[in-house]
Amino acid sequence: MDFAHADAINQAIRLLSLRHRARAAALLAPLGLHPGQEALLLELARTGPMIQAQLSEALGCEPPSVTLMTRKLEATGHIRREPAPFDKRASVVELTDSGRDLADRVRRVWRDLAEETVAGLPDETVAGLPDVLNALTANVDTRSRPRR
């Protein structure tokens, strides 16, 4: 691949990432959320209670980031943390009733953002996007392969 094509690909991915995150932030702000917190809420809504280490792995982020997010969401009453029965050093995180309600609102925002993002694309392209984007993510996921 020549540099011009490589640069076009990298710039497009970079700009999409920046603009998508900024748009998500704007849509999540009225809900009192910052980017990343919605993913935590949606993961708990999908899976149910889990320890913070599992949540960190599921979200693909560092444990200190999950700790900070859980503290903030706990302070607003959307989640609760309890010591894990099998390991008092670990915390089990679960949604509260307000957290479940907020997760429902986040789902609507997330759907709207996805529809806005793919507006004007053919249905076939939209249908294939998750596979393409997941493949791109796997290609650059440094957690799944040794560094060169």
Side-chain angles (χ1 to χ4, degrees):
M1 173 182 317
D2 68 12
F3 175 76
H5 193 213
D7 189 44
I9 290 169
N10 289 323
Q11 288 294 342
I13 291 169
R14 185 183 71 80
L15 288 174
L16 172 60
S17 176
L18 290 170
R19 291 188 179 145
H20 189 271
R21 185 172 173 87
R23 185 66 181 133
L27 293 171
L28 292 168
L31 302 180
L33 294 173
H34 297 284
Q37 292 175 326
E38 84 291 347
L40 189 149
L41 289 169
L42 292 174
E43 185 64 26
L44 289 173
R46 262 192 295 277
T47 63
M50 61 174 50
I51 63 170
Q52 284 185 207
Q54 292 169 320
L55 199 47
S56 175
E57 180 66 28
L59 297 175
C61 61
E62 296 298 319
S65 297
V66 171
T67 299
L68 183 60
M69 284 190 283
T70 56
R71 283 184 185 152
K72 289 181 178 183
L73 290 168
E74 184 177 38
T76 55
H78 300 306
I79 64 166
R80 85 178 119 257
R81 293 184 300 164
E82 310 248 342
F86 53 86
D87 182 354
K88 298 299 180 202
R89 296 169 297 165
S91 294
V92 175
V93 182
E94 66 180 318
L95 293 175
T96 61
D97 289 341
S98 77
R100 280 186 282 285
D101 291 342
L102 184 56
D104 287 339
R105 294 170 62 197
V106 167
R107 282 186 191 100
R108 288 190 291 275
V109 165
W110 229 222
R111 185 196 61 233
D112 293 346
L113 178 58
E115 289 174 354
E116 185 178 309
T117 302
V118 301
L121 294 177
D123 290 344
E124 313 80 61
T125 300
V126 173
L129 269 178
D131 289 340
V132 170
L133 295 171
N134 287 330
L136 294 175
T137 300
N139 287 345
V140 296
D141 189 353
T142 59
R143 295 173 305 150
S144 63
R145 61 191 159 122
R147 293 183 184 225
R148 295 180 199 191

